[in-house]
Amino acid sequence: MIDLDFNKNDDKMRLLISEMKNIKSKILMGGGKEKLKKQHLQNKLTVRERIDFLKDDDADFLEIGCFAGYKMYEKYGGCPSGGVVAGITHIEKKQCIIVANDSTVKAGAWFPITGKKNLRLQEISIENKLPIIYLVDSAGVFLPLQDDIFPDKEHFGRIFRNNAVMSSMGITQIAAVMGSCVAGGAYLPIMSDESIIVDKTSSIFLAGSYLVKAAIGESIDNETLGGATTHCEISGVTDYKAKNDQDALIKIKNIINKIGQHEKAGFNRVKSIPPKKNEKEIYGIIPRDRAKPYNMHEIIDRLIDNSDFEEYKSGYGKSIICGYARIDGWAVGIVANQRKLIKNKQGEVQFGGVIYSDSADKSARFIANCNQKKIPLVFLQDVTGFMVGSKSEHAGIIKDGAKMVNTMSNSVVPKFTIIIGNSYGAGNYAMCGKAYDPRLIVAWPTAKLAVMGGEQAAKVLLQIEKKSLEKKGEEIDKKKEKELLNNITKKYNYQSSPYYAASRLWIDAIIDPLETRKVISTGINAANHSPINKKYNPGIIQS
């Protein structure tokens, strides 16, 4: 028997994935074909060619922040990937992070989102104790937006502070200067542990030849001022001179392959087994109408090894599913929102995707158990928020919700968040949104991130808009009201899309659901490099 609803859901998901791939294909072109050709004419590899050359041939590259800056800087011609390509991969069989400027995007200049993206990659390096490689090719700060990148704690200068802190933590940092390295940006490679500079095509200086002439009247060319020979033989600023891009990347590999092994966190892993149920069926299970319920167990069964799930308190707090499983061999604790309609003990139908008091209480206790057993946590988000109304308030929903948030916040095992569908308001917080330090947070193309659902928010905003216009003496008829509602809904839906979130780095990536297992496995493998030294304190869970 053909399930037409399943097939329509499948078609919708495939369309969303196709749209995502189309957008991504344009982003991968950086500053465009002509500028990519210019790189080759300058005897330089493009940014993605550098990464492909550097990483192991059989290694995946989990790109972080590919959609950073998407549609944010169109006034200035755009900033694909925030002008920097970055992610997690393996070099010489060692898991590392690569952060590489794309000089085809405004000469690699730093936009505000570029700084935020670099800080995010440094954060991943610090959390997981992973070596980080910087491939530098940048003209420095994008001056028209300097006020948004210069002076604050989360701006450009924080990167150099992190360089120093990471060095004190013993995290290997290697920088290869493969083009321009100007002004404040010149500190990044020199504050790394070891630095390489490519002869003839690269330079490092606090001020270029034109500024030097203007400032002190000295006439000098850039190569003499800050080229490879100058810094390798006169100033001693850099450690290695490379003949070309390929030679510089080989030198990085030669350094990486001699790094010794560090203590591991010791997360449990056995041989990986594919899910027993077909992963591709996820496409047909997720409803094309986001308001429709579905059974989250069906999704879990297609993400975990052998579809083998040991559910915790299966008969209690049913609006959240908790349980133990394995993903690519790694032991995990799963906390997932249940989207199907559920009957409680009183026979009342509970809304899918809403967190109730009993579910919050169950989740808090399960998270504590995973911390006790040193099991990484995976959050599968499709949540509209906590239950409201007098019955919930009298039952202590605020207290139980606080217990869940407290326990999750104090968790010392690594957390990974997958936004499958809705991610609204306090539900986003309780299910480990970006503010709660997941090691990685990614979204499926079906995701929506907002304070509340579009329809509800639009109605609230409409009432505010109507009152504002009425105060000005404008009459609002039904036609005008409908027009206002449509405009508000359109704007709100745009701002709640996964692309809006990804462009601002509220999430690390938008992925095909079939990539979920790989993302989680890569994340736990990274986290395993960082032993847990902090003692877990469950706080108010016992109250």
Side-chain angles (χ1 to χ4, degrees):
M1 181 179 174
I2 298 173
D3 188 333
L4 290 178
D5 211 39
F6 180 95
N7 288 345
K8 287 179 180 178
N9 291 342
D10 185 279
D11 288 344
K12 177 65 174 178
M13 178 66 87
R14 290 179 189 276
L15 283 171
L16 289 172
I17 292 168
S18 177
E19 178 190 15
M20 177 188 73
K21 288 180 177 178
N22 285 337
I23 294 170
K24 191 172 181 179
S25 68
K26 293 173 185 175
I27 290 171
L28 297 185
M29 295 303 294
K33 287 183 180 179
E34 291 305 312
K35 290 183 179 178
L36 291 170
K37 284 180 185 176
K38 190 176 178 181
Q39 288 279 99
H40 291 156
L41 292 173
Q42 294 173 336
N43 197 32
K44 295 163 68 173
L45 298 174
T46 66
V47 64
R48 293 184 183 276
E49 287 171 345
R50 288 168 177 170
I51 291 170
D52 285 341
F53 189 97
L54 184 57
K55 75 178 186 65
D56 294 345
D57 291 339
D58 60 348
D60 290 319
F61 179 65
L62 176 56
E63 187 165 353
I64 303 295
C66 180
F67 294 94
Y70 177 64
K71 290 191 174 181
M72 284 179 67
Y73 303 106
E74 293 182 329
K75 175 183 175 182
Y76 301 102
C79 186
S81 288
V84 61
V85 181
I88 305 170
T89 190
H90 280 81
I91 302 170
E92 297 294 307
K93 306 300 180 188
K94 289 184 175 62
Q95 198 172 31
C96 301
I97 289 171
I98 301 174
V99 181
N101 297 117
D102 185 353
S103 63
T104 70
V105 179
K106 292 289 187 293
W110 289 65
F111 283 67
I113 198 67
T114 316
K116 186 174 182 179
K117 184 169 176 178
N118 275 259
L119 289 169
R120 173 60 179 145
L121 271 296
Q122 286 185 324
E123 179 182 45
I124 294 171
S125 174
I126 291 168
E127 287 177 331
N128 300 294
K129 307 294 188 294
L130 291 182
I132 186 167
I133 292 92
Y134 307 100
L135 305 182
V136 184
D137 195 347
S138 171
V141 167
F142 185 64
L143 292 178
L145 297 173
Q146 63 85 27
D147 59 324
D148 287 328
I149 193 171
F150 167 58
D152 210 345
K153 180 180 176 181
E154 304 304 329
H155 286 174
F156 188 74
R158 187 74 172 182
I159 293 164
F160 312 132
R161 174 264 184 194
N162 285 352
N163 288 143
V165 170
M166 291 161 75
S167 182
S168 73
M169 295 173 67
I171 296 171
T172 299
Q173 299 176 84
I174 303 168
V177 180
M178 310 178 83
S180 297
C181 186
V182 184
Y187 286 106
L188 186 145
I190 313 313
M191 293 192 73
S192 299
D193 301 308
E194 295 185 80
S195 58
I196 300 158
I197 184 169
V198 178
D199 196 20
K200 305 304 180 190
T201 61
S202 304
S203 55
I204 306 171
F205 35 65
L206 295 181
S209 56
Y210 292 121
L211 186 54
V212 168
K213 177 69 174 176
I216 63 172
E218 181 184 2
S219 295
I220 190 170
D221 64 90
N222 283 339
E223 182 65 26
T224 306
L225 181 65
T229 298
T230 295
H231 286 312
C232 287
E233 299 177 18
I234 300 173
S235 71
V237 164
T238 51
D239 304 311
Y240 307 94
K241 184 197 285 189
K243 294 177 289 188
N244 51 36
D245 280 11
Q246 291 90 335
D247 187 37
L249 298 170
I250 289 169
K251 289 182 187 300
I252 293 172
K253 291 185 179 190
N254 289 339
I255 296 168
I256 293 290
N257 71 21
K258 295 172 182 67
I259 296 175
Q261 292 295 326
H262 293 277
E263 183 185 356
K264 302 286 186 181
F267 301 125
N268 186 297
R269 192 181 198 185
V270 298
K271 185 179 178 182
S272 177
I273 302 173
K276 190 180 291 182
K277 296 189 177 180
N278 187 353
E279 290 178 76
K280 289 184 178 179
E281 289 175 352
I282 289 172
Y283 290 179
I285 294 169
I286 298 292
R288 59 196 180 282
D289 178 354
R290 297 303 304 119
K292 283 191 174 181
Y294 64 94
N295 190 348
M296 184 62 83
H297 282 104
E298 295 294 330
I299 302 297
I300 294 170
D301 285 345
R302 287 159 179 81
L303 293 177
I304 62 177
D305 289 15
N306 203 39
S307 303
D308 187 7
F309 187 58
E310 188 66 39
E311 188 167 358
Y312 173 78
K313 289 184 180 287
S314 60
Y316 177 73
K318 292 182 179 181
S319 73
I320 289 184
I321 300 166
C322 299
Y324 302 108
R326 290 188 183 274
I327 293 177
D328 196 27
W330 294 104
V332 296
I334 292 175
V335 181
N337 301 112
Q338 175 59 288
R339 280 301 308 272
K340 76 174 184 178
L341 299 178
I342 308 157
K343 282 189 177 182
N344 62 17
K345 286 183 288 187
Q346 288 76 36
E348 299 167 328
V349 176
Q350 294 185 335
F351 296 102
V354 178
I355 302 175
Y356 292 80
S357 286
D358 52 359
S359 302
D361 175 69
K362 176 176 79 172
S363 304
R365 296 179 185 278
F366 179 72
I367 290 167
N369 289 345
C370 287
N371 275 269
Q372 183 188 53
K373 297 176 178 69
K374 203 159 75 170
I375 299 173
L377 286 159
V378 174
F379 293 83
L380 302 179
Q381 278 198 20
D382 194 343
V383 58
T384 52
F386 286 88
M387 191 58 191
V388 296
S390 61
K391 188 172 181 180
S392 291
E393 298 292 358
H394 296 170
I397 186 66
I398 296 174
K399 170 177 62 69
D400 290 320
K403 186 187 297 185
M404 180 181 177
V405 172
N406 184 288
T407 311
M408 181 272 298
S409 300
N410 285 306
S411 176
V412 297
V413 296
K415 299 169 291 192
F416 303 90
T417 302
I418 316 296
I419 303 176
I420 290 174
N422 302 321
S423 180
Y424 295 157
N428 170 280
Y429 305 152
M431 292 294 293
C432 195
K434 182 68 182 292
Y436 293 84
D437 297 327
R439 296 293 177 96
L440 292 173
I441 176 168
V442 300
W444 291 0
T446 44
K448 292 280 186 183
L449 289 83
V451 172
M452 65 177 73
E455 187 179 342
Q456 299 93 321
K459 287 177 181 177
V460 172
L461 292 169
L462 175 64
Q463 295 307 312
I464 296 170
E465 183 70 13
K466 280 176 66 177
K467 285 184 179 179
S468 175
L469 292 171
E470 285 167 0
K471 281 182 181 178
K472 295 176 183 177
E474 293 187 36
E475 288 188 16
I476 310 298
D477 57 20
K478 290 292 181 183
K479 185 180 177 182
K480 179 71 172 177
E481 184 175 317
K482 186 178 180 181
E483 184 184 331
L484 282 171
L485 183 62
N486 287 339
N487 289 338
I488 293 168
T489 303
K490 185 178 179 181
K491 181 181 177 181
Y492 200 89
N493 286 339
Y494 167 69
Q495 291 180 346
S496 63
S497 82
Y499 298 101
Y500 194 88
S503 70
R504 288 153 180 78
L505 290 172
W506 301 343
I507 55 177
D508 293 317
I510 305 171
I511 65 166
D512 183 326
L514 301 185
E515 297 177 294
T516 305
R517 281 169 55 84
K518 182 176 71 176
V519 169
I520 294 169
S521 180
T522 298
I524 299 177
N525 189 25
N528 201 38
H529 290 81
S530 181
I532 298 172
N533 298 316
K534 185 180 176 183
K535 188 176 179 181
Y536 176 63
N537 182 355
I540 62 170
I541 187 171
Q542 302 300 339
S543 65

